[in-house]
Amino acid sequence: MIYNFDFFKLSGRLRNKIFFMTVFVSVGPLIILGFLAFYSLNLFHRFDIAGIEDNLINQKTEEVSGFINNIIGVFELRVDYELSSPIASSSQNFILNELLKSNPALEEAAFVNTISEEINGERIAVGKETAKYSKTYPNGASDDVFINKSKLESFQQAATGKIYSGPVYYTLKGPMISIASPVLNANNAVINVLTGEINLSGVQKIIQNSRLGNSGYLYLLDYDGFLIAHSQASKAIKTSFKSQFFASDLLKGEKKLGIGGQARYQSVWGEPVVGAGDYISKFGWAIIAEWPANDADLIVSTVRNQIILFSLIVFIAAVFASVFLADRIVKPIKILESGTKRVSQGKFDQLVEIKTGDEIEDLGEAFNKMTAGLKRLEELKEEFVFIAAHELRTPVSAIKGYLSMVLDGTVGPVSQGARKFIEEVLVANQRLIQLVNDLLQVARSDAGRLTIDVVSLDIREQVKTVVSELTPLSNEKNIKIIYQSADVPGVMADSVRLKEVLVNLIGNAIKYTIGSGEIAISHEVKAQNLITHIKDSGIGISTEAQKKLFEKFYRVQTEKTRDITGTGLGLFIVKQIIEKMNGKIWVESEEGKGSTFSFSLPIAIS
């Protein structure tokens, strides 16, 4: 969506506009204030609900986990002798009797043999119970009811030294779980397995002692989505909750806590609720709090009336606060305006600083984050171009080498027809090499990797060297290069980079001079700088094109330049090099009358 802010242009009259608008059109700010108030109310209300539900869930999760962990803890037995023989039968009976007396939730406890041995002439197999106490056998079970548990997962896991906690199963006494724990000797060897059946009625009491507002409730689901406990007995059902999306996500291991996890949905009992939940990973259970929406949102209507009263007060206060508000609003907006101008120019380093303590400060922080993001994107782009250009350099150079070897006859004779095509490919490859080199130069500059080693040097030697190298090219086009090498002072520059600048500028002068012509190179001392002029008699550049001439990838597009090759990066690179050597570059041109490119460099202090 695009908004038109022409009416709200930043000018000296903005403060007056805000003043009169605040005084005479107070309804507008009140509407905005009311909207923000209701938005904030709803937001904070959601936070409050999330906090209440989260606290209840966390509290009950700790209580449930603590209930089961306490029972599991007493099953962790260790004897102080090093022998591998099982605990004596009398000791087993004593331990089991004490376990049942001290743990009301324990329905049954038994010792299981892990070592095959002979007792009273009978060979006791591995995995068979050797002692058992339960609510059914409070004085201990007889041998004829002992069962072999060797094939049960609980025994197999405990026999390897691990504590086993099984899934929930349901009986007439309520939900139960099986546990099994290894009995270790002084050498940490398993000499017995201690198993038990825990009645989860204690867990049900924990959940039933939960309150959430006037009508909210809490319930606990097992791994398969069946109800273990519910804080309201009337809502207990025996169907699985796995088809319900909220419970299904929780049972998959997701957490639904905080304002981000909180959800509004239709409960399985047919009422709109605000739900939150947690996954108890140790047991694979889900604990869910659901607060009926009509009860949870009851407080909002009361606060709404208070907001209306507050709005009336604000309406009166707006008349007296108009001047203050105008100054407070205009100043940060002007700061943001300056910031947007800098960003539009590609300057991302300077951040805006707004200290108003309100949403405008938040806007300033958001603007700074946006600027940082744009800067990072620019850096990533520059890094990509640098890597791509660097990696392309090797294969295109190799192609050039192999093509040259073919043309030289190194690999054998080449027919005239094939030679013509290979030469065309070689020319195209040379253009590609030039493009890759230019891209690499640009990437180095943009990424801050363009190294400049400034020293005092005689620019005349640089010019003479470049002119000598480019003379064969100018002679082919019947273009005369005139260099007026008067006595001039030395300059502060990088020898290699300065040569690149001269090759580019003089090469362009040759390239854009159609037919015969003349190129004049001269120097001029001005203030503390030495200015070098490169004047040609070429096709010239339009005023409009001169404005974009030093931009990246820009090339003058005319009928005369259509067949002239180039990447559009040369002058951009030249400008970057000159500026990094503390100089400046500019152009003066007129279509049909040639161009003069000039650049300045600091004079070396002798």
Side-chain angles (χ1 to χ4, degrees):
M1 183 179 291
I2 299 175
Y3 296 91
N4 186 355
F5 286 99
D6 291 342
F7 173 74
F8 206 70
K9 286 183 178 178
L10 296 176
S11 66
R13 295 168 294 178
L14 176 59
R15 185 171 56 182
N16 294 334
K17 286 182 180 180
I18 295 176
F19 174 80
F20 288 112
M21 288 173 63
T22 306
V23 173
F24 298 107
V25 197
S26 299
V27 176
L30 277 177
I31 292 174
I32 297 173
L33 180 63
F35 172 79
L36 291 176
F38 282 117
Y39 173 79
S40 300
L41 172 64
N42 291 330
L43 182 61
F44 290 132
H45 180 58
R46 288 178 59 198
F47 273 111
D48 288 340
I49 293 176
I52 293 171
E53 290 186 330
D54 289 359
N55 288 336
L56 180 62
I57 289 170
N58 292 334
Q59 176 190 344
K60 296 304 174 180
T61 298
E62 290 180 6
E63 291 181 18
V64 169
S65 298
F67 174 83
I68 298 176
N69 289 335
N70 286 339
I71 297 176
I72 293 177
V74 300
F75 269 64
E76 297 179 20
L77 297 182
R78 180 185 293 273
V79 297
D80 58 1
Y81 57 78
E82 298 181 356
L83 299 177
S84 299
S85 59
I87 297 175
S89 297
S90 59
S91 298
Q92 290 183 8
N93 289 322
F94 175 77
I95 292 171
L96 295 179
N97 187 31
E98 290 300 315
L99 281 177
L100 255 70
K101 287 180 180 179
S102 60
N103 294 278
L106 196 60
E107 290 288 331
E108 178 183 293
F111 274 100
V112 183
N113 192 36
T114 59
I115 304 170
S116 179
E117 62 175 343
E118 186 173 318
I119 300 177
N120 297 326
E122 180 184 356
R123 175 64 62 179
I124 306 299
V126 172
K128 188 173 181 179
E129 293 175 334
T130 55
K132 178 189 292 186
Y133 277 69
S134 69
K135 296 291 175 66
T136 306
Y137 306 107
N139 298 317
S142 58
D143 293 354
D144 58 339
V145 297
F146 291 165
I147 63 173
N148 192 311
K149 295 185 175 182
S150 61
K151 295 184 179 180
L152 297 181
E153 183 183 356
S154 57
F155 171 79
Q156 293 175 354
Q157 185 168 317
T160 62
K162 299 177 182 178
I163 296 176
Y164 170 84
S165 176
V168 179
Y169 64 94
Y170 297 85
T171 69
L172 294 176
K173 294 182 179 181
M176 310 267 288
I177 62 168
S178 299
I179 61 173
S181 176
V183 179
L184 306 176
N185 66 7
N187 293 327
N188 289 324
V190 179
I191 60 175
N192 275 111
V193 167
L194 180 58
T195 67
E197 306 298 322
I198 301 175
N199 191 318
L200 298 181
S201 57
V203 172
Q204 291 178 319
K205 289 179 181 179
I206 292 173
I207 299 300
Q208 287 169 0
N209 292 330
S210 305
R211 293 294 180 267
L212 189 60
N214 295 322
S215 58
Y217 48 85
L218 190 77
Y219 58 93
L220 185 67
L221 302 177
D222 68 10
Y223 176 82
D224 293 315
F226 289 100
L227 200 64
I228 299 174
H230 197 294
S231 61
Q232 297 179 6
S234 61
K235 292 184 179 291
I237 58 177
K238 295 183 179 180
T239 57
S240 174
F241 282 65
K242 270 200 169 180
S243 60
Q244 199 260 6
F245 82 95
F246 196 77
S248 176
D249 290 345
L250 284 168
L251 291 170
K252 291 176 183 175
E254 296 184 23
K255 290 183 177 289
K256 301 285 187 178
L257 298 175
I259 195 169
Q262 180 189 94
R264 289 178 177 254
Y265 55 89
Q266 197 84 0
S267 76
V268 295
W269 293 280
E271 57 186 342
V273 295
V274 183
D278 197 5
Y279 177 68
I280 308 177
S281 58
K282 184 173 183 178
F283 310 116
W285 298 350
I287 184 168
I288 301 174
E290 291 182 345
W291 198 345
N294 57 357
D295 182 23
D297 298 335
L298 188 61
I299 194 173
V300 177
S301 59
T302 303
V303 179
R304 186 182 295 114
N305 294 333
Q306 295 176 352
I307 291 176
I308 294 174
L309 178 61
F310 177 73
S311 298
L312 291 174
I313 298 173
V314 172
F315 177 81
I316 298 172
V319 176
F320 300 98
S322 57
V323 175
F324 171 77
L325 289 175
D327 290 338
R328 186 178 179 84
I329 293 174
V330 170
K331 184 178 179 180
I333 289 178
K334 287 183 177 179
I335 294 174
L336 283 172
E337 180 196 24
S338 300
T340 57
K341 289 180 180 179
R342 290 194 298 270
V343 171
S344 67
Q345 296 168 359
K347 300 174 181 177
F348 305 114
D349 293 326
Q350 188 173 351
L351 303 178
V352 299
E353 185 174 354
I354 299 174
K355 299 294 182 183
T356 60
D358 54 21
E359 286 81 358
I360 297 180
E361 182 176 340
D362 294 339
L363 179 62
E365 292 176 357
F367 180 87
N368 288 336
K369 290 179 181 178
M370 179 196 72
T371 304
L374 291 173
K375 181 181 178 182
R376 179 57 180 157
L377 287 174
E378 185 71 15
E379 291 171 349
L380 289 173
K381 182 197 72 175
E382 292 165 359
E383 185 69 16
F384 171 78
V385 173
F386 179 84
I387 294 173
H390 189 272
E391 293 299 321
L392 282 172
R393 199 173 188 180
T394 300
V396 296
S397 298
I399 291 171
K400 179 182 177 181
Y402 285 121
L403 289 173
S404 299
M405 291 172 62
V406 172
L407 289 177
D408 293 340
T410 305
V411 296
V414 181
S415 67
Q416 193 63 32
R419 179 178 293 275
K420 179 180 179 181
F421 287 114
I422 293 173
E423 288 174 349
E424 291 292 331
V425 174
L426 193 60
V427 170
N429 180 258
Q430 184 59 41
R431 293 177 185 170
L432 183 58
I433 290 174
Q434 183 61 46
L435 175 60
V436 170
N437 288 335
D438 287 349
L439 283 173
L440 195 56
Q441 283 282 68
V442 171
R444 285 196 183 108
S445 176
D446 289 343
R449 301 182 183 181
L450 185 63
T451 55
I452 300 293
D453 186 14
V454 176
V455 296
S456 175
L457 55 82
D458 188 347
I459 194 172
R460 293 174 299 177
E461 296 299 322
Q462 298 283 329
V463 175
K464 290 176 182 178
T465 300
V466 173
V467 169
S468 175
E469 291 177 358
L470 295 179
T471 295
L473 181 61
S474 64
N475 289 341
E476 287 181 6
K477 299 183 66 175
N478 197 23
I479 297 172
K480 185 178 181 182
I481 300 178
I482 302 173
Y483 178 36
Q484 302 171 3
S485 57
D487 188 18
V488 296
V491 295
M492 298 301 296
D494 184 305
S495 175
V496 175
R497 301 301 183 188
L498 179 57
K499 184 177 179 181
E500 291 179 26
V501 170
L502 292 169
V503 168
N504 192 291
L505 295 178
I506 298 173
N508 279 353
I510 297 172
K511 187 187 300 184
Y512 289 96
T513 299
I514 308 301
S516 60
E518 183 178 284
I519 298 172
I521 305 172
S522 61
H523 301 292
E524 174 188 4
V525 177
K526 192 171 184 179
Q528 298 300 315
N529 294 294
L530 178 66
I531 300 174
T532 302
H533 303 286
I534 301 173
K535 181 179 181 180
D536 62 60
S537 58
I539 59 178
I541 307 168
S542 67
T543 304
E544 191 64 28
Q546 291 178 42
K547 298 176 182 178
K548 304 178 182 179
L549 199 59
F550 295 98
E551 292 181 2
K552 200 182 300 182
F553 295 110
Y554 179 78
R555 296 190 66 229
V556 179
Q557 299 294 332
T558 66
E559 187 69 26
K560 294 181 180 179
T561 63
R562 183 176 57 186
D563 297 326
I564 299 176
T565 60
T567 64
L569 293 171
L571 290 178
F572 173 82
I573 295 171
V574 165
K575 184 173 184 292
Q576 297 291 309
I577 293 174
I578 291 295
E579 289 179 350
K580 286 184 180 294
M581 293 191 296
N582 298 316
K584 294 182 179 179
I585 185 169
W586 64 93
V587 63
E588 297 176 0
S589 182
E590 186 177 345
E591 286 186 283
K593 296 185 179 180
S595 306
T596 301
F597 282 83
S598 306
F599 65 89
S600 65
L601 290 172
I603 294 175
I605 299 175
S606 56

